[in-house]
Amino acid sequence: MTITERLTEDMKTAMKARDKQTLSVIRMVRASMQNEAIKLGKGELTDEEELTVLTREVKQRKDSLHEFEEAGRDDLVEGLHYELEVLQRYMPEQLSEEELEQIVQETIQEVGASNKSDMGKVMSAVMPKVKGKADGSQVNKLVLKQLS
């Protein structure tokens, strides 16, 4: 079942349960996916494109969450926590620290990286492998640590 199909099913469930918060988040994500399809000139997105949109939505919420926490806007922080919780249901299972570390080590060996100046090569090789399964900043820290 694709992400869009799961979103549609969960939207119906949220409507029946009169869960306005969940319904709002699902509609927002579906709208983003439709906008992306229009932007790309397609009728439907591939699984990878759906994951890209979903990852972007999660990242936007995390960035906003950070900003709102710094500004002391607890009223908005609570809502964003809920939105993130709903969005995480559709994300693939996240890689553990050990799994991610292993992927980074293998990639460093594949590209023959030896110091921090090779970081761009390593990051561009690692990110497609962990798309949607790990946060980019976490990958960045691991690559930096291993190239030091």
Side-chain angles (χ1 to χ4, degrees):
M1 184 179 279
T2 66
I3 295 171
T4 304
E5 291 168 345
R6 286 180 51 208
L7 284 167
T8 303
E9 289 301 313
D10 290 350
M11 186 173 79
K12 291 176 188 174
T13 304
M15 284 176 163
K16 289 176 185 172
R18 299 190 191 283
D19 183 355
K20 291 181 182 177
Q21 270 188 308
T22 303
L23 185 59
S24 172
V25 175
I26 292 172
R27 282 182 171 157
M28 209 173 345
V29 174
R30 289 191 67 215
S32 293
M33 288 188 180
Q34 285 177 324
N35 289 339
E36 186 72 13
I38 291 168
K39 187 174 113 185
L40 297 174
K42 295 181 170 185
E44 286 186 24
L45 297 175
T46 64
D47 289 345
E48 188 173 316
E49 290 165 340
E50 287 179 344
L51 185 59
T52 300
V53 172
L54 193 58
T55 303
R56 185 176 354 158
E57 292 293 318
V58 168
K59 184 175 182 339
Q60 284 175 352
R61 303 252 173 353
K62 284 182 179 178
D63 291 345
S64 297
L65 186 65
H66 179 70
E67 295 294 321
F68 291 151
E69 284 173 341
E70 283 184 358
R73 294 292 311 264
D74 296 334
D75 54 329
L76 298 174
V77 168
E78 188 178 316
L80 279 176
H81 275 297
Y82 184 78
E83 287 183 21
L84 274 169
E85 187 181 304
V86 171
L87 292 174
Q88 291 297 338
R89 297 178 201 163
Y90 305 99
M91 293 294 289
E93 190 174 323
Q94 299 295 295
L95 294 170
S96 70
E97 185 86 18
E98 295 79 32
E99 292 171 320
L100 192 55
E101 225 170 276
Q102 180 156 0
I103 291 171
V104 169
Q105 284 176 342
E106 289 170 0
T107 306
I108 287 173
Q109 291 172 355
E110 284 173 21
V111 299
S114 57
N115 56 36
K116 288 183 183 179
S117 65
D118 297 325
M119 187 157 172
K121 282 194 282 185
V122 176
M123 287 298 291
S124 62
V126 170
M127 289 312 290
K129 294 177 183 179
V130 299
K131 186 174 189 159
K133 297 177 186 173
D135 186 40
S137 61
Q138 184 183 15
V139 174
N140 192 334
K141 287 176 190 170
L142 280 173
V143 171
L144 245 174
K145 180 177 136 188
Q146 294 195 18
L147 289 178
S148 297

